[in-house]
């Protein structure tokens, strides 16, 4: 039945997958490079079918209880005067939640039924006809029936089983950073943003949280050459990109420099011809990252993990058939959610004229109407979420 399954990554996709695998009788083990659960990150959206996944997991009340309550985005000038405001609230069934809060809820929902290993990572994978031998940086080697990479855009599992990252990463000509900041620098329950051509700095402040997040995005036609794990290098690059910017950017930068665990990375997507290779498969950002500006990362992770676990259960562990069904049933949805549209151009106009045009459009409320139409269209075109538990019950009778 291929019961012993190793999952690399303990953020969103990994624990969601582990929850459903344990529910279906598999034996999941989750390994995470970080020494403990990561609490950082920005707001993420749980909506559409991800709401249904959370409801079936029984964690939707917890998600709603700690959801962010941001109501809109305000574009400011250098003096802090509001130039335009845009409502970002969705429908009543949507929830925005801090990434760290969602990861904590998922971990709590799985910790009694799933083996977690923190502070270690996969070093090698050796597949054979009966399983996968895995060696780790710190722990002893072990054998598993299947290995699933849920370890993000810079996935180690993807590199070991599919090849170098450069084959699958589509650079989107921007870099993004998140860091802790003083809540007093932003407006309560708003994202406040200041633009200069090709750059945006802002504050994300939820009324349900005591802290706040500084957000930075800057345009760069060619990718930087840097180590994505070197935090000191990230801070230097961020400082170089924003050191001459006005408004409250010097204070936001000071907070980012003091944050022990800021996020800095390119805006990019992962595009792959296949999400599986033998006994290894990928889920979430490792397989189909849509980039932070898409607003779809948490949805893709939760829905994809639910589908992958369900297909393994429906196929009684036949990984060849399950992986094929997982991909056939989810690739169209991934393709739709990777269509970022005008989000990036609206957030980071490349010229002063573009910024003025964006502010004019935002004041006209056209963007609010377009967002509402997009939500309606998305709900109408989404395929129904499969009920794998009902299928399993039907097979067992």
């Amino acid at each position: 039945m291929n019961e012993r399954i190793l999952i690399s990554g303990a953020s969103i996709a990994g624990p969601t997958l582990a929850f459903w695998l344990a529910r279906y009788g598999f034996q999941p083990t989750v390994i995470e490079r970080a020494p403990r659960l990561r609490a950082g990150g920005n707001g993420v959206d749980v909506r559409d079918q991800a709401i249904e996944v959370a409801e079936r997991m029984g964690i939707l009340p917890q998600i709603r209880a700690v959801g962010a309550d941001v109501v809109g985005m305000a574009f400011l000038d250098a003096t802090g005067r509001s130039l335009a405001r845009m409502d970002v609230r969705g429908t009543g069934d949507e929830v925005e939640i801090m990434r760290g809060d969602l990861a904590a809820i998922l971990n709590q929902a799985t910790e009694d039924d799933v083996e977690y290993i923190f502070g270690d990572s996969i070093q090698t994978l050796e597949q054979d006809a009966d399983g996968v031998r895995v060696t780790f940086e710190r722990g002893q080697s072990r054998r598993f029936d299947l290995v699933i990479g849920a370890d993000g855009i810079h996935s180690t599992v993807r590199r070991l089983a599919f090849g170098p990252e450069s084959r699958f990463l589509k650079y989107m000509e921007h870099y993004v950073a998140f860091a802790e900041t003083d809540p007093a620098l932003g407006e309560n329950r708003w994202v406040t943003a200041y633009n200069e051509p090709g750059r945006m700095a802002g504050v994300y402040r939820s009324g349900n949280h005591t802290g706040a997040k500084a957000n930075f995005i800057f345009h760069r036609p060619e990718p930087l050459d840097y180590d994505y794990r070197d935090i000191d290098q990230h801070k230097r690059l961020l400082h170089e990109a924003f050191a001459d910017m006005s408004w409250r950017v010097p204070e936001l930068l000071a907070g980012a420099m003091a944050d022990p665990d800021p996020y800095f990375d390119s805006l990019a997507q992962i595009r792959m011809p296949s999400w599986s290779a033998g006994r290894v498969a990928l889920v979430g950002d490792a397989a189909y990252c849509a980039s932070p500006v898409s607003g779809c990362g948490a949805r893709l992770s939760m829905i994809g993990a639910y589908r992958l676990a369900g297909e393994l259960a429906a196929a009684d562990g036949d990984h060849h058939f399950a992986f094929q069904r997982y991909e056939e049933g989810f690739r169209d949805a991934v393709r739709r959610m990777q269509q970022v549209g005008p989000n990036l151009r609206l957030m980071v106009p490349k010229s002063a004229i573009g910024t003025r045009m964006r502010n004019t459009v935002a004041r006209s409320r056209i963007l609010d109407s377009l967002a509402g139409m997009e939500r309606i269209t998305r709900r109408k075109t989404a395929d129904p979420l499969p009920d794998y538990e009902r299928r399993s019950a039907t097979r067992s009778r």
Side-chain angles (χ1 to χ4, degrees), residues 315-332:
D316 290 325
D318 180 343
H319 62 285
H320 297 292
F321 185 67
F323 292 166
Q324 179 183 347
R325 291 276 298 175
Y326 157 59
E327 186 160 338
E328 289 175 349
F330 197 44
R331 187 168 283 277
D332 284 346

Side-chain angles (χ1 to χ4, degrees), residues 11 90 184 257 292-293:
S11 181
M257 298 305 108
V293 294

